[in-house]
Amino acid sequence: MSSTVIFSTHARRVLWRVSVAMSCVALLAGLSACMSGSDSNSINASGGQVSSSGSNVGASETGANATALPTMFVKDPAKAAQPETARVEQVTINSFDGTPIAMTVYYPALPAGQATPLLLHSHGFGGSRTQSLDFDEASQTSEIGIDAMQVAYNQKNPVAARPGWYVISYDQRGHGDSGGTVSILDPNIEGKDFKAVLDWAEANLTHLGYRNKNNTPNPVVGTIGRSYGGAFQLMGAGVDNRVDAMVPDGTWYDLRYSLDPQGVPKTAYLDGLVAAGAQSNRGRYAPFLLQGLLEANTTGTVDDTIVKRLGSQGSISYCDLSANLPNGMTLKSDIPALFIQGAKDVLFNIREGIQNFECYRRVNQNSKVIFTKYGHTLNSLYIQNDPAADLAGTGAKYAFNESLIWLKTNASACPASLYDTKTGRCVIPLKDMMFQFLVQHLIGQQQANSADYLGFDPVPLPEVTAVLEDGQKDPTAIAVKTNASGKPDLDEKGAPSDFTAPTQVVTGIAGFPSGLSSTQGSQLAQPIFVDLNNTQQQGCFVGVPKATVKVDPVGPLGSPEPPIVFVGLGIKRADGTQQVLHDQITPIKGYGTFNLDLPGISVLLKAGDKITLNLQGYNPVFLTSFNRVPVPVTVSASVTLPAKVRDSAGLCAQ
């Protein structure tokens, strides 16, 4: 049968004015909150930013078979003959072109001669460096990642068996106290700033540890950060061989897909990120960014040279030279990475996390990925639910990602202090997983398996950890098992569905700034859910669905502009409730047949649950990207889900 959603012209005009007004006010007045605090991550000396928010460990999960790392040494023993005094200093250096780059440098207390790594951090877009690590997790939490920096620095509640690490957090060009203009991590600009920071570290950190790489002393350096602070690591590691391990959290693979999918600008975030950076950036943007923003909000089409330049400023420029991007570069082969990506992240979804992981895993088998539930969200616009409220009562503290991972595993693979016998889950702080990964690849596997060194019991570190959408406040995570070839089953696909019957959709603005059925403001913009004939099956589905979508006109072709339709997946539970799966949607522009990847999924289907096709004529994540004149179209689609995955605890087989 055919379904139709129609609103009167008067209603559309009224609702459009209301939605734009509300969106602009919310974006300008409280964007840090609506984007999960995504771009403000300084913590002041008194704690500042407050977010609401053993046993044997299996060798296969900790990488115990990894080659032992040689002992670190200091490059100049005479300079390291004096002990290091714990202190925090604010430092400004001049980059390659004279631009000042502001840094906060954390010097740990170290005995004479002690070598130690450097952990390098940078912030989210519109944010600034972290100027203090003196916060108390008992009553508050930092941004996920900064809490791991506190553990590494080892000055608050120090672990006696572990020397502290150097930590540097710096303001990206055009942010905070640094000079210059923002170019979105151009390897030829911000990449040179990255090099300048490491040059300064080598010249000034007297106890910095080294190992020989190609018979040349090379500093031991790890990187950490999220969003823009995740991408700075991928860019930096692509231009500098001094990085030994990375933990990029919630970042992009290809900015063309992230910000301009199918040629439809994601203007809620384009506008919002600029508004969010008003304090830190103070309008310091490279001219091409302002041009692209203006085009996105007026013509709805961004100049191709700008789009290609943005594509060059991400992993795709290292991972896929066939893309022929201006800054295509060879991927470094010796850098293990732990990627963290959120299923409900409406800026960088799981698909980009999978692409990053699979790229880096090809060249380093020690790379890993964790799919969490949250990430960049737009909850203060009522487009998504507030993750802090969703997690209330679970023990987790929301700060961009969950602070806890509820991993379904065997008791023998989890420290006894962390194992919940009632649910059969290992309740693991995400910061511990991040820090243990860094220890393994910067210090060594022996220390990564040592509670004395870590300060906590070693925890499972699966190659692929997937937090499943399972209807729970404390969603269960699984360790995805590998297939016969020794790789996780993220690339396998099931059989395609039959094409759905043509469903009529009226494109254009259709209600409040919403469109995601799980939120308060969605009453006037309900998605259309269409049954698929291949999705009522039990199990765990983790990966990237594919779709073939046909968009046809209704009546004669009289529209002054090509129709924009939004396509995604829904989930219908056995009790009849349904919502947009992971709050994710993909635009299609024009008439014809389209073959495309849908946003990545990580979901547990129980008896009676099923996946549906989701169709919308408007979506507020694409705030100003819609048909001004409503266009009726019919849509039919065939969907191919990822193949069911297996997990080491057998949850997915039930």
Side-chain angles (χ1 to χ4, degrees):
M1 295 180 61
S2 175
S3 302
T4 306
V5 175
I6 300 176
F7 293 88
S8 71
T9 302
H10 174 72
R12 278 193 296 270
R13 288 172 178 167
V14 171
L15 290 169
W16 166 238
R17 290 168 184 157
V18 171
S19 68
V20 169
M22 290 182 63
S23 298
C24 291
V25 168
L27 283 168
L28 292 170
L31 199 96
S32 292
C34 78
M35 293 186 174
S36 309
S38 63
D39 303 303
S40 177
N41 53 6
S42 291
I43 298 176
N44 61 35
S46 62
Q49 178 186 347
V50 179
S51 301
S52 59
S53 21
S55 296
N56 294 328
V57 179
S60 64
E61 293 186 332
T62 60
N65 297 323
T67 304
L69 295 175
T71 302
M72 283 187 296
F73 59 86
V74 293
K75 194 173 181 180
D76 189 336
K79 290 184 178 179
Q82 296 298 317
E84 189 76 272
T85 302
R87 63 194 188 279
V88 180
E89 293 182 354
Q90 309 303 327
V91 177
T92 299
I93 63 173
N94 289 325
S95 191
F96 69 100
D97 58 354
T99 297
I101 302 297
M103 311 185 300
T104 298
V105 183
Y106 300 85
Y107 298 81
L110 296 170
Q114 175 72 57
T116 199
L118 165 64
L119 184 56
L120 184 62
H121 167 266
S122 198
H123 51 80
F125 189 89
S128 57
R129 69 192 188 277
T130 297
Q131 298 190 52
S132 173
L133 295 174
D134 186 18
F135 60 91
D136 185 2
E137 277 209 330
S139 58
Q140 64 194 85
T141 186
S142 71
E143 166 193 314
I144 299 299
I146 295 178
D147 48 8
M149 292 159 58
Q150 184 189 61
V151 174
Y153 185 45
N154 200 33
Q155 294 305 123
K156 189 177 183 72
N157 305 316
V159 176
R162 180 177 75 237
W165 300 5
Y166 288 114
V167 176
I168 292 178
S169 180
Y170 75 97
D171 286 339
Q172 290 292 332
R173 177 178 292 248
H175 289 77
D177 296 323
S178 290
T181 59
V182 177
S183 295
I184 312 291
L185 300 176
D186 188 320
N188 297 311
I189 302 174
E190 284 94 341
K192 293 180 180 179
D193 298 339
F194 185 97
K195 285 177 172 287
V197 171
L198 287 185
D199 288 345
W200 181 92
E202 284 206 71
N204 291 275
L205 304 181
T206 57
H207 289 253
L208 181 59
Y210 285 78
R211 292 191 181 95
N212 285 324
K213 189 180 286 188
N214 298 323
N215 298 317
T216 302
N218 201 73
V220 179
V221 178
T223 58
I224 197 167
R226 63 171 174 79
S227 191
Y228 203 71
F232 105 94
Q233 303 173 61
L234 302 173
M235 174 271 300
V239 300
D240 198 300
N241 67 359
R242 288 175 286 186
V243 177
D244 298 288
M246 301 183 291
V247 184
D249 181 0
T251 196
W252 65 82
Y253 175 76
D254 183 353
L255 271 178
R256 298 172 301 174
Y257 171 79
S258 309
L259 298 176
D260 192 39
Q262 321 300 327
V264 180
K266 198 178 286 184
T267 47
Y269 259 103
L270 288 171
D271 298 350
L273 290 171
V274 171
Q279 181 176 359
S280 179
N281 301 132
R282 300 190 294 279
R284 295 177 291 165
Y285 299 105
F288 82 95
L289 293 175
L290 295 174
Q291 177 188 339
L293 183 69
L294 178 63
E295 291 172 349
N297 282 285
T298 53
T299 67
T301 301
V302 180
D303 184 86
D304 191 55
T305 58
I306 297 175
V307 172
K308 284 186 176 179
R309 179 170 179 177
L310 290 175
S312 283
Q313 294 166 201
S315 291
I316 188 173
S317 63
Y318 307 105
C319 298
D320 184 6
L321 296 182
S322 67
N324 296 317
L325 293 166
N327 285 329
M329 287 175 255
T330 302
L331 182 69
K332 301 294 188 295
S333 62
D334 58 349
I335 307 171
L338 171 61
F339 293 98
I340 302 168
Q341 206 83 11
K344 286 196 172 186
D345 191 317
V346 293
L347 184 57
F348 309 127
N349 72 71
I350 279 180
R351 177 181 181 264
E352 300 205 67
I354 290 174
Q355 289 172 308
N356 275 324
F357 165 67
E358 291 186 338
C359 168
Y360 282 83
R361 190 186 184 282
R362 286 199 301 269
V363 293
N364 194 300
Q365 293 295 303
N366 287 314
S367 293
K368 300 179 186 293
V369 65
I370 299 174
F371 301 129
T372 60
K373 187 171 181 177
Y374 299 104
H376 298 85
T377 61
L378 289 166
N379 50 279
S380 74
L381 295 186
Y382 301 103
I383 292 173
Q384 292 177 278
N385 286 338
D386 180 6
D390 276 357
L391 290 168
T394 66
K397 293 183 177 181
Y398 178 72
F400 191 77
N401 300 114
E402 303 90 317
S403 60
L404 296 176
I405 301 295
W406 295 272
L407 180 65
K408 187 75 173 179
T409 189
N410 299 318
S412 61
C414 177
S417 60
L418 302 180
Y419 194 70
D420 179 9
T421 56
K422 183 178 179 180
T423 61
R425 299 183 303 178
C426 197
V427 186
I428 310 170
L430 181 56
K431 67 168 184 176
D432 290 353
M433 300 178 82
M434 299 166 81
F435 182 65
Q436 187 175 332
F437 179 85
L438 289 166
V439 169
Q440 178 182 340
H441 298 292
L442 299 182
I443 306 297
Q445 187 59 58
Q446 181 178 354
Q447 291 85 349
N449 284 338
S450 167
D452 288 340
Y453 184 89
L454 295 174
F456 54 84
D457 288 323
V459 297
L461 292 179
E463 184 177 32
V464 177
T465 305
V467 172
L468 302 169
E469 175 57 56
D470 61 359
Q472 297 185 170
K473 277 191 169 185
D474 53 350
T476 299
I478 58 168
V480 176
K481 292 186 72 170
T482 57
N483 56 28
S485 64
K487 295 183 179 180
D489 295 322
L490 297 182
D491 292 329
E492 301 296 323
K493 297 290 185 288
S497 72
D498 294 338
F499 273 91
T500 59
T503 300
Q504 186 168 320
V505 180
V506 177
T507 70
I509 184 69
F512 254 45
S514 184
L516 305 175
S517 65
S518 59
T519 61
Q520 303 94 314
S522 63
Q523 304 93 314
L524 300 177
Q526 289 289 348
I528 303 170
F529 294 109
V530 182
D531 283 346
L532 299 166
N533 73 334
N534 67 334
T535 62
Q536 192 163 359
Q537 49 187 311
Q538 294 176 243
C540 301
F541 296 85
V542 182
V544 179
K546 292 183 176 293
T548 300
V549 183
K550 298 177 182 178
V551 181
D552 294 309
V554 175
L557 290 173
S559 171
E561 57 183 344
I564 299 174
V565 178
F566 299 91
V567 178
L569 297 179
I571 181 168
K572 186 174 183 179
R573 293 296 185 186
D575 62 5
T577 59
Q578 57 185 351
Q579 64 186 59
V580 178
L581 182 57
H582 302 320
D583 295 347
Q584 297 289 353
I585 203 79
T586 295
I588 293 176
K589 188 174 185 178
Y591 297 106
T593 299
F594 303 84
N595 295 298
L596 67 157
D597 286 348
L598 296 178
I601 64 174
S602 182
V603 61
L604 172 63
L605 296 184
K606 304 174 185 177
D609 297 340
K610 62 180 177 181
I611 300 294
T612 61
L613 177 68
N614 167 35
L615 304 175
Q616 297 178 23
Y618 172 72
N619 187 277
V621 174
F622 296 82
L623 187 65
T624 62
S625 300
F626 64 93
N627 292 124
R628 269 53 175 182
V629 177
V631 181
V633 296
T634 61
V635 181
S636 61
S638 170
V639 174
T640 301
L641 292 181
K644 288 191 289 187
V645 299
R646 299 174 301 149
D647 69 299
S648 57
L651 173 70
C652 298
Q654 296 178 5

